[in-house]
Amino acid sequence: MVMKKFPKITINEQWCKSCEICVEFCPKKVFDMGRFYPVVARPEDCIDCKLCEKLCPDFAITVTSPKET
Amino acid sequence: MDYLQYLRLDKMPHIWCDGCGHGIILKSILRTIDKLGWDKNDIAMVSGIGCSGRTPGYVDFNTLHTTHGRALAFATGLKIAKPKLHVIVVSGDGDAAAIGGNHFIHAARRNIDITMIIYNNYIYGMTGGQVSPTTPSGKKASTAPYGNPDMAFDISRLAQAAGAAYVARSTVYHVGRTDKYIEQALKKTGFSVVEILTPCPTSYGRQNKEGTAVDMMMYQKSNSVSIERAKKMSEEELEGKIITGVFVDKEQECYLSRYNEIVKRAQSIK
């Protein structure tokens, strides 16, 4: 069986200001809010729409598609 | 795409508050420039003062941070001196409609080939939440603690009336549409204005009890009406709604070509 590849989401905690926009607007609810920063709780649900990357005002989220790696 | 290639990394993280939409707009601009494939050296970004005025400080283009409201005046000179540069002016609502109001309408009248991106957050965020020309009537600000008695300016309609070649309005929530409008504006020859509504949770949201950035973006989502749909709605239905869409998209002669003609005519007189 081929393992399903899902996008890699990285959060730059140095730049994140915890506005929670990614947590709220992710259509698949991939993120959970941690104590200070969002946590990628369900990476397998990610559909690679990159909305979190587009809506992050602090340039803190990077989504790398499986194709790009 | 990699946003970091367009940023001055030593200046990051930026100073904008948590949940401020300015970063989302900056990302839209960078994404569009990446899509168009423009060289960094061919772009000049000019700004005035305010939260929006910080934008050129973070991007690795030719940048100019000018006096309050006068970004368009500097940009006009820049465009005439170096017509090959793609000049982008970023401006806040106070910068564009209050202090630089005259520059704004006259640049639109002149139809010089500049793209102006207006970050409209309804307030002067950086200086402590004073009332701006776009603060809606009745809303609170630190200089209007009992509610703003004035009527708000509609920047897009103002640009339309003043004769801009391209005018569009979007919100930071509608990020796909914002990208599309910025792309059309950058491609347009002539004065193009894109007004983008952005949440200011720290100054505007706090004083008007509108909640967090997420709440303010949800408000944008539920209260936006496209211009096509707005035409079929009555004035009562449209009250409090945000009309988004392309207001003007027309071809008209650019200032530079008229100016060059005058230069030629003047040089031919012996």
Side-chain angles (χ1 to χ4, degrees):
Chain A
M1 198 184 119
V2 184
M3 280 284 284
K4 196 188 161 222
K5 283 185 180 172
F6 37 81
K8 188 169 169 258
I9 306 168
T10 46
I11 297 171
N12 182 349
E13 293 185 354
Q14 302 282 318
W15 290 8
C16 176
K17 289 176 188 150
S18 320
C19 63
E20 300 186 30
I21 286 176
C22 52
V23 180
E24 199 63 39
F25 289 103
C26 174
K28 301 300 275 184
K29 303 285 172 221
V30 168
F31 299 91
D32 271 346
M33 197 59 200
R35 185 157 157 69
F36 295 112
Y37 304 111
V39 182
V40 187
R42 289 166 288 279
E44 66 281 0
D45 289 354
C46 179
I47 51 169
D48 199 18
C49 68
K50 298 199 176 177
L51 193 65
C52 55
E53 193 184 274
K54 286 179 184 172
L55 286 182
C56 174
D58 297 295
F59 295 82
I61 299 180
T62 316
V63 183
T64 319
S65 306
K67 286 171 250 162
E68 290 168 20
T69 48
Chain B
M1 72 158 281
D2 178 21
Y3 297 98
L4 304 188
Q5 60 176 317
Y6 293 105
L7 294 178
R8 290 176 182 154
L9 293 175
D10 54 326
K11 298 277 187 291
M12 296 293 285
H14 57 60
I15 60 147
W16 295 318
C17 309
D18 57 324
C20 172
H22 286 24
I24 305 175
I25 305 175
L26 175 56
K27 268 189 166 171
S28 272
I29 299 171
L30 296 181
R31 208 161 40 238
T32 313
I33 287 169
D34 190 71
K35 190 180 167 195
L36 293 171
W38 287 355
D39 190 70
K40 283 195 266 189
N41 294 324
D42 295 340
I43 301 164
M45 199 179 248
V46 187
S47 78
I49 300 294
C51 296
S52 65
R54 302 289 307 196
T55 311
Y58 301 120
V59 291
D60 191 17
F61 305 138
N62 303 296
T63 58
L64 195 57
H65 190 181
T66 71
T67 45
H68 205 347
R70 274 54 170 158
L72 273 170
F74 284 85
T76 303
L78 191 61
K79 185 71 190 176
I80 293 173
K82 298 238 178 231
K84 281 185 183 158
L85 278 180
H86 302 288
V87 181
I88 305 170
V89 174
V90 286
S91 192
D93 51 315
D95 199 43
I99 297 110
N102 255 311
H103 290 295
F104 177 56
I105 53 174
H106 290 288
R109 179 175 66 92
R110 187 176 266 165
N111 195 35
I112 186 158
D113 186 14
I114 289 174
T115 305
M116 186 171 191
I117 293 163
I118 300 175
Y119 300 30
N120 185 356
N121 56 6
Y122 300 136
I123 209 148
Y124 285 93
M126 186 176 268
T127 48
Q130 288 84 356
V131 73
S132 95
T134 56
T135 307
S137 195
K139 293 288 183 182
K140 287 177 186 167
S142 59
T143 46
Y146 302 104
N148 175 25
D150 300 331
M151 293 304 287
F153 244 147
D154 188 329
I155 294 181
S156 292
R157 298 251 185 245
L158 180 67
Q160 184 181 4
Y166 182 89
V167 183
R169 188 195 280 140
S170 180
T171 73
V172 291
Y173 173 79
H174 302 93
V175 70
R177 250 184 272 168
T178 308
D179 282 13
K180 195 175 90 184
Y181 297 155
I182 292 178
E183 188 186 340
Q184 288 173 348
L186 287 174
K187 281 183 181 167
K188 192 87 191 169
T189 310
F191 191 70
S192 37
V193 180
V194 185
E195 179 193 359
I196 304 163
L197 305 181
T198 150
C200 176
T202 307
S203 282
Y204 183 78
R206 180 176 51 80
Q207 296 191 62
N208 290 292
K209 304 207 168 23
E210 294 203 358
T212 60
V214 172
D215 298 330
M216 292 177 85
M217 281 171 76
M218 281 298 190
Y219 177 85
Q220 291 181 342
K221 182 190 176 187
S222 51
N223 283 281
S224 291
V225 180
S226 74
I227 191 162
E228 289 82 18
R229 226 179 95 203
K231 279 176 190 157
K232 294 175 195 149
M233 290 165 77
S234 66
E235 266 188 37
E236 290 83 52
E237 283 175 312
L238 281 174
E239 206 160 302
K241 299 281 184 198
I242 304 163
I243 302 170
T244 61
V246 181
F247 287 69
V248 187
D249 189 359
K250 61 181 178 188
E251 296 298 329
Q252 59 185 22
E253 203 185 1
C254 168
Y255 178 73
L256 284 175
S257 62
R258 289 201 304 271
Y259 187 77
N260 287 338
E261 266 174 38
I262 288 171
V263 170
K264 265 186 215 158
R265 212 187 309 152
Q267 283 172 344
S268 66
I269 299 167
K270 290 275 152 58

